[in-house]
Amino acid sequence: LRVCLVKVGCFCVGLPLAPAQKRSLSLVTRGPSRAPTQLSPCGGRWAEDNKVNRLLIRKYLSDQPLELVEAEDGRKAVDLCRDVQPDIVLMDMSMPELDGVSATREIRALGIGQPTIVALTANAFESDRKACLSAGMDHFLSKPIDKNSLLQTLAALQVERMGV
């Protein structure tokens, strides 16, 4: 399984909030954490123009049996898909040279075995999700993304694509 990550950016927002009322704590308390997900061995390909985001995703996937290759923009992501033909591409919407939606359309027009394309973006409005899916992306994850969500998604995609 080859995975491409196409420019994953993130941002933080600080909001002043009142302390939670005791009765609402049950709504935000999470259950026991899930056991770590271990992916099956596979090759991966990924594009990212932000060094901090490359470091974060690399760290998230460092204990996984993945071989990752990075590109820095949407144009390089299309070229990477043409040359390497990855199984999965993690695609941001906002990139230099070629945005994620346009890059997805170009990848879908290539005469290659088509990858599963997952939007991994800070653009989390319903209109953004619809734009990604109508361009040909298969899945949509909004940022900030945590390690468990990323690994659970990749594991599910491995099962879906390869019957692992």
Side-chain angles (χ1 to χ4, degrees), residues 21-145:
Q21 299 295 324
K22 183 170 182 132
R23 67 177 184 212
S24 67
L25 288 177
S26 64
L27 298 176
V28 295
T29 303
R30 291 185 178 190
S33 61
R34 296 180 190 164
T37 300
Q38 184 66 32
L39 301 174
S40 298
C42 57
R45 305 296 182 257
W46 127 61
E48 164 61 75
D49 74 333
N50 183 296
K51 289 180 184 180
V52 173
N53 296 323
R54 283 197 305 260
L55 177 65
L56 179 65
I57 296 299
R58 205 178 301 126
K59 181 176 172 77
Y60 281 177
L61 299 176
S62 66
D63 60 348
Q64 298 297 319
L66 300 174
E67 173 196 340
L68 298 173
V69 174
E70 304 171 28
E72 297 174 355
D73 60 55
R75 173 61 49 215
K76 290 179 184 172
V78 174
D79 295 340
L80 186 66
C81 286
R82 181 184 307 105
D83 298 341
V84 177
Q85 298 185 26
D87 298 303
I88 299 173
V89 175
L90 300 178
M91 180 78 74
D92 194 19
M93 288 181 72
S94 302
M95 293 182 289
E97 299 295 323
L98 190 65
D99 66 63
V101 170
S102 298
T104 297
R105 287 187 178 118
E106 286 194 22
I107 291 167
R108 292 301 186 221
L110 295 174
I112 61 170
Q114 288 294 307
T116 299
I117 300 177
V118 180
L120 188 56
T121 181
N123 301 345
F125 293 108
E126 180 62 20
S127 59
D128 298 315
R129 187 185 73 76
K130 287 180 180 177
C132 289
L133 297 176
S134 69
M137 294 185 196
D138 301 291
H139 299 277
F140 186 92
L141 294 174
S142 48
K143 297 177 203 170
I145 190 80

